Amino acid sequence: MVMQPVLEISAADDFALWPVGEHESYRYLVLNGELTPAEVGTAVRQIADCNAFEPEEEHGPCPTDPLGTFLHGLLTMPDLFAAGGFRVTENATDTVFVEPGCCNGLETWRDWLEVLDGTGCSYFGHDPSSVAERVGDIVRLTFDVYGTDGSPVTELPVDQARRLVAGARQDMQDFLGLAGSWAEQHLPAHAAAITAALARALDLAPAR
């Protein structure tokens, strides 16, 4: 069983602010410390694009240059969104048991801790409506709780689920380190601010 942080990608054929890879829309990019520079550029573009709307007045006027305009929401909005989440797949069969649905974001990854130590239940968007529920000493994963009777379901020991969540969080941390180095090379004037914003978008920022 593998749990991976995945970012939903939208196509950007005309994007030219920095090098990015080629990805089809509505596919997922797995975040970890092994991405190529072009894949890191794709991830940074996507997270910035997720937050590319006009901030409130208190965050200052939007810059007029193309790069400043594109990064403005990412660098100024207090609450950031990164479409995706933690995907859970059975290695041997490629069966997906948790798929982040619409409106789910990587910044909500701590919902998994609610399953393990809090309310015992979390939903991860819709279409599909994947859910994780703690029942005693096991965690039950359902691909689509509102789907047909054939929707994949599996059960894991709580300790195994906890290790999977810790591993997925480390993958995001490794990606953040890679993205920081990438930003220093490709966007040095904004590197520190971008790295801090990505940490907030992935809910990896130090506790305030």
Side-chain angles (χ1 to χ4, degrees), residues 48-159:
D49 193 48
C50 281
N51 298 281
F53 48 87
E54 188 63 34
E56 300 296 329
E57 291 183 2
E58 61 263 29
H59 301 297
C62 186
T64 56
D65 64 289
L67 178 60
T69 298
F70 185 71
L71 292 176
H72 188 56
L74 177 68
L75 300 185
T76 60
M77 295 296 291
D79 299 314
L80 299 175
F81 173 66
F86 286 3
R87 182 175 60 192
V88 182
T89 308
E90 170 57 55
N91 311 51
T93 62
D94 286 332
T95 302
V96 178
F97 292 105
V98 172
E99 180 96 326
C102 180
C103 304
N104 198 73
L106 278 160
E107 75 286 350
T108 65
W109 69 268
R110 293 180 193 273
D111 287 355
W112 281 96
L113 303 182
E114 283 294 306
V115 176
L116 299 172
D117 303 312
T119 62
C121 183
S122 282
Y123 291 79
F124 307 105
H126 56 88
D127 299 324
S129 297
S130 293
V131 62
E133 307 167 85
R134 179 166 178 171
V135 183
D137 291 330
I138 63 101
V139 174
R140 180 180 297 127
L141 307 178
T142 304
F143 176 73
D144 190 351
V145 72
Y146 300 120
T148 65
D149 293 339
S151 180
V153 179
T154 193
E155 295 182 346
L156 306 174
V158 168
D159 288 346

Side-chain angles (χ1 to χ4, degrees), residues 132-205:
E133 307 167 85
R134 179 166 178 171
V135 183
D137 291 330
I138 63 101
V139 174
R140 180 180 297 127
L141 307 178
T142 304
F143 176 73
D144 190 351
V145 72
Y146 300 120
T148 65
D149 293 339
S151 180
V153 179
T154 193
E155 295 182 346
L156 306 174
V158 168
D159 288 346
Q160 181 182 359
R162 198 180 301 278
R163 288 192 296 271
L164 290 173
V165 171
R169 184 194 184 283
Q170 186 60 53
D171 282 342
M172 289 201 300
Q173 195 70 56
D174 294 343
F175 162 75
L176 183 62
L178 200 63
S181 299
W182 175 92
E184 290 175 357
Q185 179 179 355
H186 293 275
L187 300 169
H190 301 282
I194 288 173
T195 303
L198 293 176
R200 289 191 294 113
L202 301 175
D203 195 13
L204 297 175

